[in-house]
Amino acid sequence: QVQLVESGGGLVQAGGSLRLSCAASGRTFSNYRMGWFRQAPGKEREFVATIRWSIDTTYYADSVKGRFTISRDNAKNTVYLQMNSLKPEDTAVYYCAAKRGPIATTWNEYEYWGQGTQVTVSS
């Protein structure tokens, strides 16, 4: 029903910025919630940020709060993750995800996933 495609990853030096995009296709509804997760080598997939389609309500992991901003453009069916003040520990594959119902911060609660985009932050 929903297909997600991430883009915008790349290599950036510490302190730099990147903006990730998640383009959603298929039927989307106002009750969907969108999330960003990341997975670094040897680590579990962890929550980064989430936002509702219908209401601009956001929630962030403590590790990125104040540095990352999740936003959306409903007309374009696109969710963004603006990443500022990047640190080497932000290096990971970043995934866009979607779910129905309430906001969630665990990966197994999300129904749809993109293919991921690599973000590498060098020292």
Side-chain angles (χ1 to χ4, degrees), residues 48-97:
V48 175
T50 186
I51 191 170
R52 297 177 181 177
W53 278 113
S54 59
I55 303 173
D56 198 9
T57 301
T58 60
Y59 186 78
Y60 298 90
D62 288 341
S63 59
V64 306
K65 194 175 300 181
R67 299 188 297 120
F68 291 10
T69 302
I70 187 171
S71 62
R72 51 159 172 75
D73 187 334
N74 290 14
K76 297 180 179 179
N77 286 340
T78 301
V79 175
Y80 305 96
L81 184 68
Q82 178 67 45
M83 305 184 294
N84 298 326
S85 301
L86 283 163
K87 305 174 181 179
E89 52 262 43
D90 295 318
T91 295
V93 176
Y94 283 71
Y95 297 92
C96 179

Side-chain angles (χ1 to χ4, degrees), residues 6 9 30 37 39 49 62 68 74 88 93 103 108:
E6 304 97 332
S30 62
F37 290 78
Q39 188 165 24
D62 288 341
F68 291 10
N74 290 14
V93 176
I103 294 289
N108 59 340

